[in-house]
């Protein structure tokens, strides 16, 4: 992937084909994230952001996805304030242009950071907003969001609420092929039973 992405980038840059440049840069950035080279990934996605802002300003979805990737990089480095900054920049554009699927992803990422930094009321607010948007759009990730909400209630020792959301999540995950989400649900269900004896 990296070899061909670099080759594609070189050709696209020579021809001033900004759409293809940005595609190649995103492949390179994602490869760097997978390898854990966040410094390099940040350079790639920062360059993609610059290209979107200067040459592809009407491609709102591309810019928002790039901001989301920059947020993921910052989050992986535990730089939560910077991650939130990128996520909220992306969210503002996604909300303005009704980019439903991307709104859901950004809201979930924001909610997870709030949860990780013990900002539980903020996390509940944005994750509740997310699951309503998911319900409206029949988004397949609703089970994960409901599980995340349940874990917050568990952290707050509100076990009845936690169980209610775990049950909702179970119904959503019943026919899911998202094994990571199912695994997280099982872990959280086990934690719930452990904490409630």
């Amino acid at each position: 992937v990296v070899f061909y992405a670099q080759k594609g980038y070189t050709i696209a840059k020579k021809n001033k084909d900004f759409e293809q440049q940005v595609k190649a840069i995103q492949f390179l950035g994602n490869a760097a994230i997978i390898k854990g080279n966040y410094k390099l990934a940040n350079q790639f996605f920062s360059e993609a952001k610059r290209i979107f802002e200067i040459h592809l300003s009407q491609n709102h979805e591309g810019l928002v996805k790039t901001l989301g990737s920059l947020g993921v990089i910052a989050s992986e480095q535990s730089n939560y304030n910077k991650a939130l900054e990128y996520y909220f920049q992306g969210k503002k554009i996604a909300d303005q242009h009704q980019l439903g699927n991307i709104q859901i992803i950004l809201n979930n990422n924001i909610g997870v950071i709030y949860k990780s930094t013990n900002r539980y009321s903020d996390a509940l607010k944005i994750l509740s907003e997310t699951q309503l948007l998911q319900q409206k759009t029949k988004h397949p990730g609703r089970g994960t969001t409901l599980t995340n909400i349940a874990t917050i209630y568990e952290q707050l020792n509100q076990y009845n609420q936690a169980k209610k959301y775990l049950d909702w999540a179970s119904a959503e995950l019943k026919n899911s092929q998202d094994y990571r989400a199912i695994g997280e649900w099982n872990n959280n269900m086990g934690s719930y039973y452990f904490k409630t004896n």
Side-chain angles (χ1 to χ4, degrees):
V1 172
V2 172
F3 172 79
Y4 289 107
Q6 286 173 332
K7 195 170 181 176
Y9 174 72
T10 302
I11 294 167
K13 190 169 183 178
K14 181 179 176 186
N15 294 323
K16 295 188 179 183
D17 183 340
F18 298 111
E19 290 278 350
Q20 293 305 315
Q21 273 184 53
V22 106
K23 281 184 184 177
I25 290 169
Q26 288 172 330
F27 276 121
L28 293 167
N30 286 327
I33 289 174
I34 291 167
K35 290 180 179 178
N37 189 342
Y38 300 120
K39 183 178 179 182
L40 182 60
N42 190 65
Q43 290 171 358
F44 283 128
F45 283 106
S46 293
E47 174 64 9
K49 178 179 177 282
R50 188 188 70 76
I51 291 171
F52 277 117
E53 290 173 343
I54 295 171
H55 301 289
L56 304 170
S57 60
Q58 296 305 307
N59 187 338
H60 305 295
E61 187 172 333
L63 176 58
V64 172
K65 285 182 178 179
T66 298
L67 290 165
S69 295
L70 287 164
V72 167
I73 294 163
S75 182
E76 287 294 322
Q77 296 175 300
S78 300
N79 188 346
Y80 298 124
N81 288 333
K82 192 68 173 171
L84 286 173
E85 185 181 314
Y86 284 125
Y87 290 149
F88 278 115
Q89 283 177 32
K91 181 173 166 42
K92 183 178 179 183
I93 298 166
D95 290 348
Q96 183 180 359
H97 296 282
Q98 294 296 298
L99 305 174
N101 212 29
I102 299 172
Q103 288 172 288
I104 289 167
I105 293 166
L106 290 171
N107 283 357
N108 265 323
N109 290 350
I110 293 166
V112 168
I113 288 179
Y114 282 158
K115 184 175 80 165
S116 299
T117 56
N118 303 324
R119 292 173 61 180
Y120 297 127
S121 62
D122 291 330
L124 284 172
K125 182 179 176 189
I126 199 158
L127 290 175
S128 294
E129 175 187 321
T130 303
Q131 71 93 15
L132 288 173
L133 186 57
Q134 288 172 316
Q135 185 176 359
K136 190 188 303 181
T137 61
K138 307 244 186 285
H139 189 273
R142 189 164 180 246
T144 299
T145 303
L146 292 167
T147 300
N148 283 331
I149 292 171
T151 61
I152 295 167
Y153 281 119
E154 185 183 311
Q155 291 291 315
L156 295 170
N157 299 322
Q158 295 180 25
Y159 298 117
N160 289 339
Q161 281 293 94
K163 180 68 165 70
K164 182 172 91 172
Y165 278 93
L166 284 167
D167 289 345
W168 284 353
S170 175
E172 291 291 329
L173 294 169
K174 189 175 182 181
N175 297 314
S176 176
Q177 298 297 310
D178 185 346
Y179 298 113
R180 180 177 181 202
I182 293 167
E184 284 179 22
W185 181 87
N186 278 288
N187 284 335
N188 286 295
M189 199 70 198
S191 177
Y192 163 80
Y193 282 123
F194 178 77
K195 289 184 176 177
T196 58
N197 297 314

